[in-house]
Amino acid sequence: MRGMWSGLQALILNDCPYAYYIHCCAHRLQLALVKASKQVVPISHFFLTLLFLIRIVNASCKRNEQLKVASANEIARLIDLEELETRSGLNQISTLQRPVETRWSSHFRSVSSLLRMFTSTAKVLQNIIDDAIDEEHRAEEKSAYDGLTSFEFVFILHLEKETMEITDKLCQALQSQSQDILNVMHLVSSTKALIQKFRDDGWDGLLTTVISFCEKHCIDVLDMNAHYIARQGRAHAMELLRLSSALEPQEALKSFRSSDLCLLVMNFYPQDFIDYDKQVLEKEFYHFEHNVVQDPEFKKLKISTATTKRVFSAMKVVKTNLRNKMENDFLTDSLMLYIEKDIASTFSLDSIVDDFEDLKER
């Protein structure tokens, strides 16, 4: 749209040099909201799960038809129980709607459609799992079903629905072809006030709705009165110290604690390991325990932690902020030279140059 050479802006300016381009305020707001929401891990995870669910259910015409049939049956059941009103325009049968990043209102429609067809979606997913052609597809679809029926997903689903109901009117006004700036300013003010009111007084009502929904759909509810264990501050530090003690070489001689090492990775260093490494880590510890720790020769070793402590001290000097992209091999060689600098100082520079020259013809 706003490309300087071949965009619509450039084409119009070629014919009308006095025209000027203003980026759509609604799109700017939408992109800012999407970016902000992705910074909150549970919200970002919620929308990823939502997209995953919609992709699976809308993967074929057959599944779409199954969803429509299940929705029709559910509507008929609720009407028989007198839980739904019946009049013209109500209880329309539709499909799950996919959210679009440039339209925040589409997120509201997507959340609302899933909430409205939650029971039908769960039934269709169960049918898909039963009809899976192989274990790989069954595992993928079971993951989607487990995500749908988790308390965290249901809670955020209701939270997003309540929040987006408040902001939807403002979004619609910003996307209107005929802008009424005064009306938009009033909506900004009222939207902020309603969000603050929901933040101050809406918790009890939201939690009651979520618990009722979970009980209706046989979803396990978390115990809100359970004792909360803080994961920051002193408790966080104490847990780190306790788990780190599993790295002490003497601990391997006494009782190798692979479970503590796995927790250390998951809770404190998740970004340092890829997902595959995390999955196979526990089995690798089992191999290490069987092949190394239980080896008779290993048990005879007299272990000192002095070298380990020297390495960690040296690492602060060698791997600084300016060298944060240093590869492991280069870091190891640099640490070795720094730690054993007394030995390295005895080497002649000329001998090192000669050895390097003899390694390979350049």
Side-chain angles (χ1 to χ4, degrees), residues 3-120:
M4 295 179 61
W5 308 110
S6 58
L8 181 59
Q9 173 188 203
L11 297 177
I12 293 177
L13 288 174
N14 288 337
D15 294 334
C16 183
Y18 300 103
Y20 59 92
Y21 176 85
I22 300 176
H23 193 75
C24 176
C25 294
H27 285 183
R28 277 185 169 179
L29 174 62
Q30 163 65 8
L31 294 173
L33 288 169
V34 171
K35 183 67 175 179
S37 67
K38 288 182 178 179
Q39 302 305 310
V40 183
V41 175
I43 301 297
S44 180
H45 182 261
F46 167 79
F47 281 115
L48 289 174
T49 305
L50 179 63
L51 286 170
F52 184 45
L53 284 166
I54 295 173
R55 180 176 65 82
I56 289 179
V57 175
N58 291 343
S60 66
C61 296
K62 178 182 177 181
R63 294 180 181 179
N64 267 319
E65 188 62 28
Q66 288 179 353
L67 181 62
K68 291 181 180 179
V69 171
S71 298
N73 294 336
E74 181 65 14
I75 290 173
R77 186 184 71 84
L78 293 176
I79 291 175
D80 290 339
L81 296 175
E82 298 183 352
E83 294 184 11
L84 281 181
E85 297 182 17
T86 56
R87 69 170 185 265
S88 177
L90 290 181
N91 306 322
Q92 298 292 318
I93 299 174
S94 58
T95 59
L96 297 179
Q97 300 200 21
R98 184 183 183 90
V100 182
E101 287 202 352
T102 54
R103 287 288 186 271
W104 189 246
S105 297
S106 68
H107 289 68
F108 176 53
R109 290 193 294 270
S110 181
V111 167
S112 299
S113 65
L114 178 58
L115 199 54
R116 186 174 61 253
M117 296 187 291
F118 189 91
T119 301
S120 307

Side-chain angles (χ1 to χ4, degrees), residues 85-259:
E85 297 182 17
T86 56
R87 69 170 185 265
S88 177
L90 290 181
N91 306 322
Q92 298 292 318
I93 299 174
S94 58
T95 59
L96 297 179
Q97 300 200 21
R98 184 183 183 90
V100 182
E101 287 202 352
T102 54
R103 287 288 186 271
W104 189 246
S105 297
S106 68
H107 289 68
F108 176 53
R109 290 193 294 270
S110 181
V111 167
S112 299
S113 65
L114 178 58
L115 199 54
R116 186 174 61 253
M117 296 187 291
F118 189 91
T119 301
S120 307
T121 304
K123 289 181 179 178
V124 170
L125 281 173
Q126 287 177 330
N127 294 334
I128 294 174
I129 292 171
D130 295 337
D131 298 337
I133 57 177
D134 54 42
E135 293 302 324
E136 180 180 352
H137 288 82
R138 182 175 286 107
E140 183 181 59
E141 291 141 8
K142 182 66 166 57
S143 174
Y145 179 81
D146 291 342
L148 175 69
T149 55
S150 66
F151 179 82
E152 180 181 1
F153 183 86
V154 171
F155 180 85
I156 297 179
L157 181 66
H158 283 80
L159 175 64
E160 290 296 323
K161 185 253 185 184
E162 295 291 335
T163 306
M164 291 178 183
E165 275 186 344
I166 298 174
T167 60
D168 186 58
K169 189 67 176 177
L170 174 59
C171 292
Q172 294 294 338
L174 287 172
Q175 295 176 30
S176 176
Q177 291 185 355
S178 56
Q179 288 287 337
D180 184 347
I181 302 299
L182 184 60
N183 179 49
V184 170
M185 293 302 296
H186 285 312
L187 285 173
V188 169
S189 178
S190 60
T191 298
K192 290 172 62 178
L194 288 172
I195 288 178
Q196 187 62 48
K197 186 176 185 300
F198 176 64
R199 185 178 185 179
D200 295 337
D201 307 324
W203 169 257
D204 291 336
L206 174 65
L207 189 59
T208 300
T209 301
V210 171
I211 292 175
S212 175
F213 184 91
C214 290
E215 291 174 348
K216 179 181 177 181
H217 294 86
C218 301
I219 297 173
D220 293 335
V221 179
L222 297 182
D223 183 8
M224 295 299 172
N225 295 319
H227 179 65
Y228 174 69
I229 301 176
R231 292 300 178 186
Q232 296 180 357
R234 184 175 181 274
H236 199 58
M238 292 301 293
E239 184 184 11
L240 176 60
L241 290 174
R242 182 184 68 81
L243 295 177
S244 297
S245 65
L247 297 173
E248 187 74 22
Q250 294 178 352
E251 290 294 326
L253 294 177
K254 297 176 183 177
S255 61
F256 186 72
R257 307 198 311 267
S258 59
S259 58

Side-chain angles (χ1 to χ4, degrees), residues 2 17 38 71 77 108 121 147 152 155 164 188 221 235 260 267 281-282 308 330 333-334 359 362:
R2 59 176 177 175
K38 288 182 178 179
S71 298
R77 186 184 71 84
F108 176 53
T121 304
E152 180 181 1
F155 180 85
M164 291 178 183
V188 169
V221 179
D260 282 357
N267 295 345
L281 190 60
E282 186 175 6
T308 304
F330 185 51
D333 295 341
S334 300
L359 287 177
R362 311 297 290 180

